[in-house]
Amino acid sequence: METKNIKAFPKDFLWGSSTASFQCEGAANEDGKGESVIDRRVQDKSLCDYSVASDHYHRYKEDVKLMKECGLKAYRFSISWTRILPLGNGEINQKGLKFYDDLINELIENNIEPIVTIYHFDYPQGLIDQYGGWLDRRSVEDYVRYAEILFENYGDRVKYWLTINEQDHVMHHPFRLGLQGLDAKESVRLGFIANHHMSVAGALAIEKCHEMIPGSKIGPAACFDILYPATNNPVDVLAWKDAMDIRNYHVLDLNCLGEYNGTLMKYLEDRQMVPSILDGDIDIMKRNRPDFIGLNFYMSRSVKENPISETNKIGDIDVRILPMAEAGVYMTVKNENLKSTLWGWEVDEIGLHISARLLWDRYKLPLLITENGFGHVETMPNDKEMIQDDNRIEYLTKHLKSIKEAMNLGVEFLGYCNWSFIDLVSGHSGFSKRYGLVFVNRDEHDLRDLSRHKKKSFYWYKDLIETNGEKI
Ligand code: BG6
């Protein structure tokens, strides 16, 4: 609905920007860092050279200087688990600890609040080799020990923590679980086992964080690509409701309510996929409620019914990036009302407004936007030019407007971190898909000089922060 007198952004709103370790740091084999599942997967350099990424490991001071110039109040980054514990457990690597110690000090000296993601996709290969990683219960203890090391070493300076980035994506991407060559159905079953362990581990990390760092705030970073019913045919609306429960709410229900929702439980039972839930697990999750929800938002999707037939049987899953369709549950279809990015992501700022309200109604937790951004192809400008990324500015402006509107209707927000500060390696599309406010001079294989160049969106964001989002 149209509303009057839209509120201003709060004075302490965290205007920030995000990255993740393996996507920007590089130095994949330096200073004692151990191998992660990402390093293992990208040994084949035909994809893109991840081992250097944006070279942030060696240029972090220059990058923090740029953050300061942009006026960032917060910087969300992730810690590489295998820099701290090369095997995922066992011996601590002091050089790894020192890198983040220096980065955090640099941020604080520049009045930038560090927001730390404990684990963002780069799971230790050592734990896969020892016992199969998240599929084994021992993974819970090892994650919690790793988190404790971070709280112990950085808790005096870091107040905002994120437990796990996009647990729902980790469980649906076999390579992020260190799995290969499985059929779709089996990988979905194993994904739910991993999901349960991650949920318990995340809850225990919340408990430790609250015990060890008084006044700290911690929550999950969830991806919430909102779904819409493709038509007003009740069968499609029903498919939408099922898909929302099974695909969108299920992880946050575990993280924030300590519950397997009824739709999900029935779905798991019918497919003999209920993971082993130990006595006490539900209690651990229920008693450790997060302080906020980190929300990664990029797009919406639309779904319709997907009737069972002779050739479309329960358990049939179409795995492309995520399970996009399931026989008897739903199928994803194109939304003709929306434009897409070059990668087919349907741009939908109103979807962010709706998501924020749905999440607020269901969990009553403040939101921190931990990712939101526009991926595009951009090339190095000549000396006197600047990248004119007006499409990115438009995307970010519209999404921020949606946040303001949702705020006006009562949803609480702690801040907004766009994805990403500098260009970095995309999760799926190498270096050609750029999100940064700052251009990094390299391409997939040619590392060039990795120099940094401010895009038009950098100056737009700087101005926005200076005026506390007044122009939105
Ligand atoms: C989120 C991830 O899913 O989306 C990021 O947390 C990722 O790591 C971002 O980079 C954008 O996805 P992609 O595939 O375009 O890089």
Side-chain angles (χ1 to χ4, degrees):
M1 75 184 164
E2 297 282 334
T3 56
K4 291 184 185 166
N5 306 325
I6 301 264
K7 284 184 199 155
F9 286 98
K11 290 230 160 6
D12 56 354
F13 192 73
L14 292 169
W15 293 102
S17 201
S18 287
T19 64
S21 50
F22 73 95
Q23 293 177 270
C24 72
E25 285 176 6
N29 307 309
E30 277 178 52
D31 289 343
K33 179 183 166 299
E35 190 187 21
S36 74
V37 291
I38 309 278
D39 300 323
R40 175 66 61 100
R41 177 161 181 264
V42 298
Q43 271 170 354
D44 168 13
K45 295 228 168 60
S46 61
L47 247 173
C48 164
D49 192 336
Y50 275 73
S51 63
V52 177
S54 314
D55 200 30
H56 174 71
Y57 189 78
H58 299 113
R59 296 169 194 243
Y60 76 90
K61 285 195 177 177
E62 183 186 347
D63 291 339
V64 174
K65 203 167 163 214
L66 284 164
M67 290 174 204
K68 168 83 175 165
E69 184 187 337
C70 191
L72 295 194
K73 307 265 187 250
Y75 172 49
R76 176 211 177 206
F77 62 96
S78 75
I79 292 191
S80 155
W81 188 333
T82 58
R83 268 194 213 291
I84 307 292
L85 294 159
L87 294 176
N89 53 11
E91 289 294 300
I92 297 179
N93 174 32
Q94 294 302 328
K95 287 189 175 164
L97 271 185
K98 181 167 180 330
F99 170 69
Y100 295 106
D101 209 47
D102 292 345
L103 172 62
I104 290 166
N105 288 342
E106 193 73 17
L107 290 168
I108 287 179
E109 274 164 31
N110 286 288
N111 293 319
I112 301 170
E113 183 84 49
I115 301 177
V116 173
T117 314
I118 296 171
Y119 153 59
H120 188 131
F121 297 160
D122 47 357
Y123 193 77
Q125 182 63 39
L127 299 183
I128 308 280
D129 298 341
Q130 287 171 55
Y131 51 67
W134 283 121
L135 301 181
D136 189 284
R137 182 77 192 192
R138 282 170 281 184
S139 59
V140 173
E141 198 182 311
D142 281 333
Y143 170 85
V144 177
R145 173 167 179 252
Y146 161 56
E148 276 181 286
I149 294 170
L150 304 188
F151 300 151
E152 218 167 86
N153 284 278
Y154 310 130
D156 56 339
R157 286 155 291 158
V158 177
K159 182 171 160 209
Y160 291 93
W161 296 87
L162 293 154
T163 49
I164 296 179
N165 183 70
E166 298 188 350
Q167 189 176 315
D168 52 332
H169 276 230
V170 176
M171 65 177 285
H172 288 309
H173 286 72
F175 70 87
R176 295 207 165 117
L177 294 171
L179 300 170
Q180 277 163 3
L182 294 173
D183 75 35
K185 205 170 156 186
E186 182 59 359
S187 58
V188 170
R189 186 183 76 79
L190 296 177
F192 277 101
I193 296 175
N195 182 50
H196 185 72
H197 292 147
M198 286 190 273
S199 303
V200 177
L204 287 169
I206 292 177
E207 185 160 70
K208 290 284 170 201
C209 185
H210 287 152
E211 274 169 26
M212 294 173 70
I213 319 176
S216 57
K217 292 192 186 298
I218 181 165
C223 174
F224 197 85
D225 297 339
I226 191 178
L227 304 177
Y228 298 137
T231 73
N232 59 5
N233 183 337
V235 292
D236 290 339
V237 181
L238 187 58
W240 160 79
K241 172 66 179 139
D242 290 342
M244 281 295 276
D245 288 356
I246 294 167
R247 292 278 158 249
N248 284 49
Y249 287 128
H250 80 283
V251 170
L252 282 174
D253 282 355
L254 289 165
N255 295 160
C256 306
L257 308 174
E259 277 173 17
Y260 277 88
N261 70 55
T263 322
L264 176 67
M265 200 33 117
K266 186 71 183 108
Y267 163 92
L268 294 174
E269 281 167 5
D270 287 356
R271 289 158 182 75
Q272 288 97 47
M273 295 199 305
V274 181
S276 146
I277 302 171
L278 301 188
D279 284 352
D281 283 356
I282 296 293
D283 178 54
I284 290 172
M285 293 188 268
K286 278 196 186 300
R287 68 168 194 257
N288 292 300
R289 207 167 130 77
D291 301 298
F292 63 90
I293 295 172
L295 174 61
N296 294 353
F297 185 89
Y298 289 91
M299 63 183 139
S300 61
R301 296 176 200 270
S302 299
V303 294
K304 64 194 283 292
E305 69 156 346
N306 189 358
I308 301 285
S309 70
E310 263 306 294
T311 52
N312 198 30
K313 302 196 181 73
I314 285 207
D316 281 356
I317 297 167
D318 171 5
V319 180
R320 276 172 276 167
I321 294 177
L322 283 176
M324 301 290 274
E326 292 215 32
V329 192
Y330 70 96
M331 70 168 81
T332 309
V333 292
K334 187 168 164 34
N335 185 338
E336 299 298 342
N337 302 296
L338 298 173
K339 291 197 184 123
S340 302
T341 68
L342 297 174
W343 287 266
W345 292 19
E346 292 177 348
V347 175
D348 180 16
E349 65 281 356
I350 296 177
L352 173 55
H353 176 144
I354 303 169
S355 301
R357 286 171 63 187
L358 290 176
L359 293 174
W360 177 253
D361 290 349
R362 194 168 175 112
Y363 305 114
K364 283 285 178 297
L365 285 168
L367 302 177
L368 171 63
I369 303 297
T370 35
E371 288 182 33
N372 176 235
F374 182 75
H376 203 55
V377 174
E378 284 152 344
T379 48
M380 174 70 180
N382 70 33
D383 281 355
K384 298 207 173 63
E385 283 173 357
M386 176 165 64
I387 291 178
Q388 303 289 318
D389 52 345
D390 294 283
N391 41 16
R392 179 167 297 110
I393 295 175
E394 185 188 341
Y395 178 101
L396 299 176
T397 305
K398 286 184 171 168
H399 284 78
L400 277 160
K401 193 162 186 292
S402 279
I403 291 174
K404 223 172 169 185
E405 283 164 354
M407 215 182 253
N408 211 38
L409 296 171
V411 181
E412 275 180 39
F413 287 88
L414 299 178
Y416 174 86
C417 295
N418 82 297
W419 183 265
S420 52
F421 185 64
I422 52 174
D423 286 341
L424 36 70
V425 188
S426 138
H428 299 101
S429 315
F431 223 91
S432 11
K433 189 179 190 184
R434 293 171 185 268
Y435 284 92
L437 305 175
V438 176
F439 182 88
V440 172
N441 186 28
R442 64 159 286 185
D443 67 15
E444 305 299 5
H445 303 288
D446 184 351
L447 295 175
R448 300 204 197 114
D449 62 3
L450 292 149
S451 54
R452 275 58 172 151
H453 304 266
K454 291 166 251 177
K455 301 182 194 174
K456 187 174 177 184
S457 56
F458 177 96
Y459 293 102
W460 163 83
Y461 201 41
K462 177 176 161 56
D463 181 57
L464 196 77
I465 298 173
E466 268 167 18
T467 54
N468 201 31
E470 205 173 76
K471 292 182 190 150
I472 294 293

